[in-house]
Amino acid sequence: KVDVRLLMSLSDATNPAGYDRVQGELESGVQIRMHPNPPSFFWITDHDTVGLPLQWGEAWPTSVVAIQSPTLAAVLTWVYDRVWSEAISVDSLMQMAAGEDGHPWDGMLRLMNQGMTMDAASAALGIAPRTGRRRVADAMAQFGVTSHFSLGAAWQAAQLPQPELLRS
């Protein structure tokens, strides 16, 4: 079995025109993560084969070449793994967009916690930037904080499981 991981730009992964393509890839077992600013479109199928655009830096390439080279794959795997760890999975984004989080602001705060700007998080969730800002403002009011930093700390603390003794 070949394990395929695909990194996409946030704008490509959330573009309605590509929805069917993304769904098809997910259904075929491809793991997809999106990043606000990936260095380029590329994929890795195993430890010696990589797929690269003919022109490095293209977010959605017009031409791709597969290269079987353990040395090149090792170098690009290092780059790929770093970008992969910064990216968010399309599956979790779909759960957030479907409202499977506990509060309306949870999806926004989860994406912002992973490094996305408020506007990028709003776009990823398919909501207007104003709606995203309102959700963050509602969360700030709920947690009684006045800065995004304080909000992140308070929200993260609220995500931790509470010991039974402290719940009473």
Side-chain angles (χ1 to χ4, degrees):
K1 178 185 177 214
V2 176
D3 183 32
V4 179
R5 299 183 302 161
L6 174 63
L7 275 166
M8 297 181 76
S9 71
L10 176 64
S11 59
D12 285 335
T14 59
N15 185 332
Y19 179 81
D20 290 338
R21 176 70 185 262
V22 169
Q23 282 301 109
E25 296 293 342
L26 289 170
E27 290 168 8
S28 70
V30 174
Q31 297 176 58
I32 302 175
R33 287 194 181 181
M34 54 189 186
H35 191 278
N37 191 22
S40 182
F41 174 95
F42 66 106
W43 48 261
I44 300 172
T45 57
D46 47 45
H47 295 291
D48 67 354
T49 305
V50 296
L52 301 170
L54 291 180
Q55 183 169 343
W56 181 258
E58 289 183 314
W60 199 251
T62 54
S63 301
V64 177
V65 62
I67 301 171
Q68 192 169 20
S69 164
T71 304
L72 182 60
V75 171
L76 286 175
T77 296
W78 179 82
V79 172
Y80 195 91
D81 288 343
R82 297 228 16 198
V83 177
W84 184 263
S85 70
E86 298 170 355
I88 183 169
S89 78
V90 172
D91 287 338
S92 64
L93 175 67
M94 290 178 174
Q95 290 171 351
M96 286 182 237
E100 295 177 18
D101 288 318
H103 300 286
W105 55 74
D106 284 343
M108 282 291 297
L109 298 182
R110 187 167 287 112
L111 292 174
M112 290 171 64
N113 188 50
Q114 294 179 0
M116 288 190 186
T117 65
M118 207 178 309
D119 286 348
S122 298
L125 293 171
I127 60 175
R130 184 168 184 253
T131 301
R133 288 190 296 276
R134 189 176 64 246
R135 288 182 182 178
V136 171
D138 290 347
M140 290 174 79
Q142 173 69 28
F143 289 103
V145 298
T146 58
S147 72
H148 289 167
F149 180 80
S150 297
L151 174 60
W155 180 75
Q156 279 293 108
Q159 304 303 304
L160 299 173
Q162 301 298 313
E164 209 47 51
L165 295 173
L166 297 177
R167 288 189 205 166
S168 51

